[in-house]
Amino acid sequence: KLEAFKDGLADMLVHDLKHPLTVLNAVLTMLSETGDEASSPDKRDRLVEMAKSSIHRGNSMIEDLLQLARINHMELPMQKARLPLVSFIEECAKENAVVAAQFRRRWTVKVEARTESRWIYGDRALLKRLVGNLVLNAVDHTPPEAGITLGARVCGRDPSKVEILVHDDGPGIPSNRRDALFRKFGTFAESAKNVGLGLAFCKIVAEEHSARFDLLESGDAGTTFALTLPASSELGGDEGAADAEAAAHG
């Protein structure tokens, strides 16, 4: 099973890395042109932004592979601990605000007041990578000046859980392609952006945290991905929440 997983991951990586490398090749070709149109400051700025985005995407894929190898390596267990949710969101917000600003996206953070006393249990680095992947995915699928929102709220269906949300104001994912996002962590082939490896990483990390990772909505109002995690109160009084998950993992 592990070998099959690795083979599938390798195929996905080859597929997804083609996009940033193709973009970089195109950018270098256009920058080498000497015509007036190619040498205009506006066009140069757009090409440089495209190159930076592609490099960022490629680096992110490599980091995901390293983290996935860590998950599947028996000698390197995940470093799970109780994490105050609001502080964790603040850390993620600070890091990803830089990414949003770099690519000229409007950045917003919305944290529900009820989450102030909630704790989650997990590997801080892996969960931060998951959030970072979703933000980068949102950058890829929205035009400049579009909005991206990082949020946290108590789950309406189950108050013993919390949801970490990443929403973008992009055009949304067509309904006939949404199932493909989670079919073997695939992508919809007609997209100009490939997100297979990033969503694979998110799915696997969620499973390792007894959590759910879902596409909550996608349409004219934008797209929202959610990570739903067990949570505990500051005093550890919620049934079936993060403390129970921590105890189950020793």
Side-chain angles (χ1 to χ4, degrees):
K1 183 177 179 180
L2 182 59
E3 287 303 316
F5 166 79
K6 289 180 179 178
D7 288 343
L9 197 62
D11 291 342
M12 189 189 307
L13 176 65
V14 171
H15 177 265
D16 279 9
L17 272 178
K18 285 181 180 179
H19 179 260
L21 292 176
T22 299
V23 172
L24 279 173
N25 183 61
V27 166
L28 290 173
T29 299
M30 287 185 281
L31 285 174
S32 68
E33 297 174 356
T34 57
D36 292 338
E37 182 182 354
S39 60
S40 68
D42 288 345
K43 184 167 185 178
R44 284 201 306 271
D45 288 345
R46 290 196 301 271
L47 293 174
V48 169
E49 181 174 334
M50 289 170 60
K52 287 181 178 179
S53 178
S54 296
I55 292 170
H56 195 107
R57 167 64 73 183
N59 285 338
S60 181
M61 290 179 187
I62 293 169
E63 182 64 24
D64 288 346
L65 278 180
L66 294 173
Q67 296 283 19
L68 286 170
R70 175 184 167 201
I71 291 175
N72 286 280
H73 200 300
M74 297 296 289
E75 296 179 3
L76 292 174
M78 289 185 290
Q79 303 298 312
K80 288 188 175 182
R82 291 183 79 234
L83 307 171
L85 178 61
V86 173
S87 294
F88 174 76
I89 293 295
E90 289 173 349
E91 289 180 32
C92 293
K94 184 176 181 180
E95 292 181 5
N96 288 286
V98 176
V99 176
Q102 179 182 355
F103 297 110
R104 295 187 291 125
R105 303 303 192 270
R106 289 181 287 105
W107 179 248
T108 305
V109 180
K110 293 184 178 180
V111 178
E112 188 179 72
R114 289 193 298 163
T115 64
E116 292 182 0
S117 62
R118 299 301 177 108
W119 294 64
I120 56 177
Y121 179 74
D123 186 302
R124 183 191 301 270
L126 288 176
L127 291 175
K128 286 172 72 173
R129 286 289 308 152
L130 184 153
V131 173
N133 274 351
L134 293 179
V135 172
L136 186 57
N137 183 57
V139 167
D140 280 346
H141 290 83
T142 56
E145 311 307 331
I148 298 174
T149 302
L150 171 64
R153 67 188 183 192
V154 174
C155 181
R157 301 182 304 274
D158 184 351
S160 72
K161 297 179 179 180
V162 294
E163 293 175 327
I164 296 175
L165 311 164
V166 175
H167 172 84
D168 69 64
D169 295 335
I173 301 168
S175 57
N176 63 340
R177 301 179 192 171
R178 293 173 194 171
D179 288 344
L181 288 174
F182 299 107
R183 190 181 303 126
K184 287 190 174 181
F185 315 121
T187 64
F188 40 94
E190 296 176 26
S191 171
K193 308 288 186 180
N194 295 311
V195 295
L197 183 60
L199 291 183
F201 179 83
C202 293
K203 268 286 191 182
I204 292 169
V205 170
E207 290 169 0
E208 291 293 328
H209 287 80
S210 301
R212 286 179 56 88
F213 175 65
D214 301 290
L215 174 65
L216 280 193
E217 60 182 359
S218 187
D220 293 339
T223 298
T224 304
F225 283 96
L227 176 69
T228 305
L229 289 153
S232 65
S233 69
E234 192 169 359
L235 299 177
D238 293 329
E239 288 187 11
D243 288 334
E245 214 256 325
H249 286 77

